């Protein structure tokens, strides 16, 4: 029984060990509230990520920590649980609007 408690404590400590990474200066264009077809993404300067997405049979609404950027992509999660947002088009201007494509969805930044 004592081994089980130690393992449980270690798992809790490990899960709580990750902290949000602030968004690096080179990635400030990613900051803000982005919307697209059935998807919303909000990245704050302190590394908090709010993600909402409606897909057939699945609805996601979570707030997670930014862990790191890998090129244009970024990883989010808690502890050892992580997920990668694949950014095929990084933030760029189209006229007066900011756009980016994340996980195949074109998003527009709220101004």
């Amino acid at each position: 029984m004592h081994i089980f408690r130690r393992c449980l404590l270690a798992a809790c400590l490990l899960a709580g060990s990750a902290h949000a990474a602030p968004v690096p200066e080179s990635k400030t264009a990613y900051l803000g509230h982005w919307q697209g077809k059935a998807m919303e993404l909000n990245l704050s300067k302190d590394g908090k990520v709010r993600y909402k997405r409606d897909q057939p049979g699945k609805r996601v609404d979570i707030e997670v920590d930014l862990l790191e950027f890998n090129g244009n992509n970024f990883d989010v999660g808690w502890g050892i649980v992580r997920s990668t947002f694949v950014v095929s088009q990084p933030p760029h201007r189209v006229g007066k609007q900011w756009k980016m494509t994340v996980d195949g969805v074109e998003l527009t930044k709220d101004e």
Side-chain angles (χ1 to χ4, degrees):
M1 189 66 153
H2 293 289
I3 292 173
F4 174 75
R5 287 184 191 161
R6 286 185 199 150
C7 289
L8 182 60
L9 177 61
C12 289
L13 290 173
L14 185 58
S17 66
H19 297 285
V23 174
E25 285 295 317
S26 63
K27 301 293 186 182
T28 58
Y30 286 75
L31 295 174
H33 185 252
W34 300 82
Q35 294 188 66
K37 184 178 179 183
M39 182 174 167
E40 289 183 51
L41 183 65
N42 188 67
L43 282 84
S44 65
K45 188 174 184 175
D46 64 356
K48 297 297 181 184
V49 178
R50 178 75 187 253
Y51 172 67
K52 294 182 184 182
R53 189 162 187 187
D54 289 323
Q55 294 177 302
K58 183 169 52 168
R59 182 178 211 159
V60 178
D61 185 351
I62 59 171
E63 187 169 322
V64 294
D65 292 338
L66 173 68
L67 300 175
E68 65 182 339
F69 275 87
N70 291 306
N72 293 326
N73 302 332
F74 55 96
D75 294 340
V76 300
W78 306 279
I80 60 171
V81 177
R82 66 173 45 214
S83 182
T84 300
F85 284 87
V86 177
V87 181
S88 54
Q89 286 286 317
H92 60 283
R93 281 211 179 264
V94 176
K96 293 184 177 184
Q97 295 183 317
W98 280 95
K99 303 263 185 187
M100 78 170 158
T101 303
V102 179
D103 292 342
V105 178
E106 183 180 70
L107 303 174
T108 304
K109 190 183 219 181
D110 291 348
E111 295 295 326

